[in-house]
Amino acid sequence: MEAGLEQLAEAEGTTATWLKKHHLMYTAATRHPLILSIRDGSIDLDSFKRWLGQDYLFVRAFVPFVSSVLLKACRESDNNSDMEVLLSGLASLNGEIKWFKKEASKWGVVLSSIAPQKVNQDYCRFLESLMGPDVEYTVAITALWAIEVVYQQSFAHCLEEGSRTPPELAETCQRWGNEGFGQYCQSLQKITDRRLLRATNEELKKAEVALLRVLEHEVEFWNMSQG
Ligand SMILES: Cc1ncc(CNC=O)c(N)n1
């Protein structure tokens, strides 16, 4: 088993069980050819720029989604530290949007003229479907954890020993591959596992489906960026 998966499995929570059960999908999302091409230095820079522009639009749509999870936590959570974890995640998106703008200008990507591609629209629509008051906190936080952990595991892979990530892409990999973001993902995973322990069978089903949908959307997002 890979080091990343082993680490996640240590907690032995429901999320770890699901990642093992769906390891093919999980690996497809976290070891996508686009990520492997960053890691081995063969990345086509047009793919990177396409990803950058589309991901900026995604992150703008991601902000209201994270806010909606924060709102659910405030209303439904049995543990008041959840709010602090989610608030820190929301706050870091402020710096992230600024970073996208700076990074785009560095690469000559004009963000104002980028239209979302269909795959991106579909993913954003999926986020919207999770924002309603009818969606349980447990289901929404499962999706949020999955979205974040895919990026954390993908970009951390590009920073591991032996990777040949081009220096001009190091900052991008650091953004999601850094230790702090890893801790944030672990906090989300702990919250998710705690909620899943108390979930009804129906909620468990919905949460597992949400995880799978996230993994599918993430694979599609990388595919779209590769062109
Ligand atoms: C498509 C996608 N998935 C996950 C993330 C990571 N979350 C926030 O930045 C992201 N930026 N884009």
Side-chain angles (χ1 to χ4, degrees):
M1 199 190 292
E2 283 180 69
L5 256 177
E6 222 163 47
Q7 244 172 9
L8 291 166
E10 254 170 38
E12 282 314 333
T14 308
T15 53
T17 308
W18 285 349
L19 291 187
K20 284 191 220 164
K21 179 175 167 192
H22 304 298
H23 74 276
L24 286 178
M25 273 302 296
Y26 184 62
T27 304
T30 57
R31 297 292 184 265
H32 188 275
L34 184 61
I35 279 297
L36 299 180
S37 77
I38 293 176
R39 186 187 151 99
D40 72 14
S42 70
I43 172 89
D44 160 29
L45 291 177
D46 283 335
S47 299
F48 177 76
K49 291 190 212 175
R50 204 173 305 125
W51 166 80
L52 188 71
Q54 291 297 318
D55 210 46
Y56 167 73
L57 298 179
F58 175 83
V59 169
R60 291 191 71 89
F62 187 59
V63 171
F65 168 66
V66 179
S67 313
S68 77
V69 183
L70 173 64
L71 185 61
K72 287 184 209 293
C74 295
R75 289 179 174 164
E76 289 176 55
S77 181
D78 49 306
N79 186 321
N80 54 24
S81 70
D82 290 12
M83 185 248 254
E84 292 157 38
V85 171
L86 292 165
L87 184 59
S88 77
L90 194 56
S92 74
L93 289 172
N94 187 33
E96 190 164 311
I97 285 183
K98 289 189 171 68
W99 175 82
F100 269 104
K101 290 182 177 171
K102 191 192 71 178
E103 193 69 11
S105 81
K106 173 174 135 188
W107 291 95
V109 173
V110 182
L111 293 176
S112 59
S113 62
I114 292 168
Q117 291 193 23
K118 184 176 179 297
V119 164
N120 200 356
Q121 285 174 336
D122 288 347
Y123 200 173
C124 293
R125 246 195 299 275
F126 169 72
L127 293 183
E128 272 170 38
S129 78
L130 295 171
M131 283 169 53
D134 52 313
V135 176
E136 298 88 348
Y137 173 50
T138 304
V139 176
I141 191 108
T142 303
L144 174 60
W145 159 71
I147 292 167
E148 299 291 44
V149 81
V150 166
Y151 262 43
Q152 193 270 326
Q153 292 282 304
S154 298
F155 285 110
H157 189 53
C158 302
L159 298 171
E160 283 167 5
E161 280 242 326
S163 59
R164 306 155 118 250
T165 298
E168 64 271 31
L169 301 186
E171 224 182 87
T172 300
C173 300
Q174 278 292 341
R175 176 150 284 279
W176 292 280
N178 77 77
E179 182 82 23
F181 192 69
Q183 299 271 325
Y184 171 62
C185 291
Q186 282 188 15
S187 300
L188 291 177
Q189 186 168 12
K190 274 201 192 116
I191 296 172
T192 305
D193 279 327
R194 194 194 75 232
R195 297 292 306 187
L196 291 171
L197 271 181
R198 307 155 155 253
T200 63
N201 280 337
E202 198 191 346
E203 277 177 335
L204 279 166
K205 266 255 137 48
K206 284 196 247 178
E208 188 176 3
V209 168
L211 163 63
L212 285 173
R213 292 292 95 80
V214 166
L215 297 178
E216 287 165 6
H217 282 297
E218 290 290 341
V219 170
E220 285 299 313
F221 204 93
W222 294 129
N223 287 344
M224 165 194 75
S225 303
Q226 252 194 339

